[in-house]
PDB file of all heavy atoms in Angstrom:
ATOM      1  N   HIS A 337     -13.467   4.195  -1.897  1.00  0.00           N
ATOM      2  CA  HIS A 337     -14.168   3.267  -1.000  1.00  0.00           C
ATOM      3  C   HIS A 337     -13.211   2.600  -0.034  1.00  0.00           C
ATOM      4  O   HIS A 337     -12.158   2.108  -0.451  1.00  0.00           O
ATOM      5  CB  HIS A 337     -14.877   2.192  -1.820  1.00  0.00           C
ATOM      6  CG  HIS A 337     -15.870   2.769  -2.777  1.00  0.00           C
ATOM      7  ND1 HIS A 337     -17.213   2.763  -2.550  1.00  0.00           N
ATOM      8  CD2 HIS A 337     -15.690   3.433  -3.944  1.00  0.00           C
ATOM      9  CE1 HIS A 337     -17.835   3.375  -3.547  1.00  0.00           C
ATOM     10  NE2 HIS A 337     -16.928   3.800  -4.413  1.00  0.00           N
ATOM     11  N   ARG A 338     -13.593   2.594   1.225  1.00  0.00           N
ATOM     12  CA  ARG A 338     -12.776   1.898   2.223  1.00  0.00           C
ATOM     13  C   ARG A 338     -13.690   1.151   3.168  1.00  0.00           C
ATOM     14  O   ARG A 338     -14.680   1.713   3.642  1.00  0.00           O
ATOM     15  CB  ARG A 338     -11.939   2.891   3.037  1.00  0.00           C
ATOM     16  CG  ARG A 338     -10.908   3.540   2.164  1.00  0.00           C
ATOM     17  CD  ARG A 338      -9.941   4.400   2.932  1.00  0.00           C
ATOM     18  NE  ARG A 338      -9.037   5.007   1.946  1.00  0.00           N
ATOM     19  CZ  ARG A 338      -8.059   5.835   2.213  1.00  0.00           C
ATOM     20  NH1 ARG A 338      -7.832   6.196   3.446  1.00  0.00           N
ATOM     21  NH2 ARG A 338      -7.296   6.318   1.257  1.00  0.00           N
ATOM     22  N   TYR A 339     -13.360  -0.077   3.437  1.00  0.00           N
ATOM     23  CA  TYR A 339     -14.141  -0.835   4.405  1.00  0.00           C
ATOM     24  C   TYR A 339     -13.687  -0.391   5.793  1.00  0.00           C
ATOM     25  O   TYR A 339     -12.675  -0.844   6.306  1.00  0.00           O
ATOM     26  CB  TYR A 339     -13.924  -2.334   4.188  1.00  0.00           C
ATOM     27  CG  TYR A 339     -14.912  -3.174   4.954  1.00  0.00           C
ATOM     28  CD1 TYR A 339     -16.217  -3.331   4.493  1.00  0.00           C
ATOM     29  CD2 TYR A 339     -14.545  -3.792   6.140  1.00  0.00           C
ATOM     30  CE1 TYR A 339     -17.134  -4.080   5.198  1.00  0.00           C
ATOM     31  CE2 TYR A 339     -15.459  -4.550   6.845  1.00  0.00           C
ATOM     32  CZ  TYR A 339     -16.749  -4.683   6.369  1.00  0.00           C
ATOM     33  OH  TYR A 339     -17.657  -5.424   7.075  1.00  0.00           O
ATOM     34  N   GLU A 340     -14.442   0.555   6.351  1.00  0.00           N
ATOM     35  CA  GLU A 340     -14.050   1.158   7.623  1.00  0.00           C
ATOM     36  C   GLU A 340     -14.476   0.286   8.788  1.00  0.00           C
ATOM     37  O   GLU A 340     -15.219  -0.673   8.620  1.00  0.00           O
ATOM     38  CB  GLU A 340     -14.692   2.557   7.763  1.00  0.00           C
ATOM     39  CG  GLU A 340     -14.044   3.621   6.895  1.00  0.00           C
ATOM     40  CD  GLU A 340     -12.661   4.043   7.403  1.00  0.00           C
ATOM     41  OE1 GLU A 340     -12.226   3.571   8.470  1.00  0.00           O
ATOM     42  OE2 GLU A 340     -12.002   4.840   6.702  1.00  0.00           O
ATOM     43  N   SER A 341     -14.017   0.651   9.990  1.00  0.00           N
ATOM     44  CA  SER A 341     -14.424  -0.114  11.167  1.00  0.00           C
ATOM     45  C   SER A 341     -15.937   0.014  11.339  1.00  0.00           C
ATOM     46  O   SER A 341     -16.538   1.001  10.925  1.00  0.00           O
ATOM     47  CB  SER A 341     -13.708   0.413  12.397  1.00  0.00           C
ATOM     48  OG  SER A 341     -14.008   1.772  12.565  1.00  0.00           O
ATOM     49  N   GLY A 342     -16.529  -0.993  11.947  1.00  0.00           N
ATOM     50  CA  GLY A 342     -17.990  -1.054  12.046  1.00  0.00           C
ATOM     51  C   GLY A 342     -18.578   0.024  12.953  1.00  0.00           C
ATOM     52  O   GLY A 342     -17.883   0.920  13.405  1.00  0.00           O
ATOM     53  N   GLY A 343     -19.875  -0.047  13.195  1.00  0.00           N
ATOM     54  CA  GLY A 343     -20.547   0.956  14.025  1.00  0.00           C
ATOM     55  C   GLY A 343     -21.037   2.094  13.162  1.00  0.00           C
ATOM     56  O   GLY A 343     -20.657   2.208  12.004  1.00  0.00           O
ATOM     57  N   ILE A 344     -21.870   2.925  13.772  1.00  0.00           N
ATOM     58  CA  ILE A 344     -22.441   4.028  13.006  1.00  0.00           C
ATOM     59  C   ILE A 344     -21.564   5.258  13.147  1.00  0.00           C
ATOM     60  O   ILE A 344     -21.243   5.684  14.248  1.00  0.00           O
ATOM     61  CB  ILE A 344     -23.883   4.330  13.494  1.00  0.00           C
ATOM     62  CG1 ILE A 344     -24.732   3.088  13.264  1.00  0.00           C
ATOM     63  CG2 ILE A 344     -24.440   5.563  12.813  1.00  0.00           C
ATOM     64  CD1 ILE A 344     -26.169   3.345  12.932  1.00  0.00           C
ATOM     65  N   HIS A 345     -21.128   5.771  12.031  1.00  0.00           N
ATOM     66  CA  HIS A 345     -20.326   6.990  12.059  1.00  0.00           C
ATOM     67  C   HIS A 345     -21.039   8.065  11.251  1.00  0.00           C
ATOM     68  O   HIS A 345     -21.862   7.768  10.404  1.00  0.00           O
ATOM     69  CB  HIS A 345     -18.964   6.753  11.427  1.00  0.00           C
ATOM     70  CG  HIS A 345     -18.185   5.656  12.072  1.00  0.00           C
ATOM     71  ND1 HIS A 345     -17.613   5.784  13.312  1.00  0.00           N
ATOM     72  CD2 HIS A 345     -17.879   4.413  11.655  1.00  0.00           C
ATOM     73  CE1 HIS A 345     -16.997   4.666  13.629  1.00  0.00           C
ATOM     74  NE2 HIS A 345     -17.143   3.812  12.641  1.00  0.00           N
ATOM     75  N   GLY A 346     -20.658   9.298  11.505  1.00  0.00           N
ATOM     76  CA  GLY A 346     -21.203  10.399  10.715  1.00  0.00           C
ATOM     77  C   GLY A 346     -20.442  10.553   9.410  1.00  0.00           C
ATOM     78  O   GLY A 346     -19.691   9.658   9.019  1.00  0.00           O
ATOM     79  N   ILE A 347     -20.607  11.725   8.774  1.00  0.00           N
ATOM     80  CA  ILE A 347     -19.958  11.896   7.466  1.00  0.00           C
ATOM     81  C   ILE A 347     -18.438  11.993   7.576  1.00  0.00           C
ATOM     82  O   ILE A 347     -17.750  11.970   6.573  1.00  0.00           O
ATOM     83  CB  ILE A 347     -20.481  13.134   6.690  1.00  0.00           C
ATOM     84  CG1 ILE A 347     -20.282  14.399   7.500  1.00  0.00           C
ATOM     85  CG2 ILE A 347     -21.919  12.965   6.273  1.00  0.00           C
ATOM     86  CD1 ILE A 347     -20.230  15.625   6.624  1.00  0.00           C
ATOM     87  N   GLU A 348     -17.914  12.107   8.800  1.00  0.00           N
ATOM     88  CA  GLU A 348     -16.450  12.178   8.887  1.00  0.00           C
ATOM     89  C   GLU A 348     -15.800  10.810   8.819  1.00  0.00           C
ATOM     90  O   GLU A 348     -14.590  10.712   8.685  1.00  0.00           O
ATOM     91  CB  GLU A 348     -15.980  12.963  10.117  1.00  0.00           C
ATOM     92  CG  GLU A 348     -16.347  12.382  11.448  1.00  0.00           C
ATOM     93  CD  GLU A 348     -17.614  13.000  12.027  1.00  0.00           C
ATOM     94  OE1 GLU A 348     -18.612  13.101  11.277  1.00  0.00           O
ATOM     95  OE2 GLU A 348     -17.604  13.354  13.212  1.00  0.00           O
TER      96      GLU A 348
END
Side-chain angles (χ1 to χ4, degrees):
H337 301 258
R338 293 187 182 179
Y339 192 78
E340 286 288 356
S341 58
I344 299 213
H345 303 288
I347 58 156
E348 63 264 48

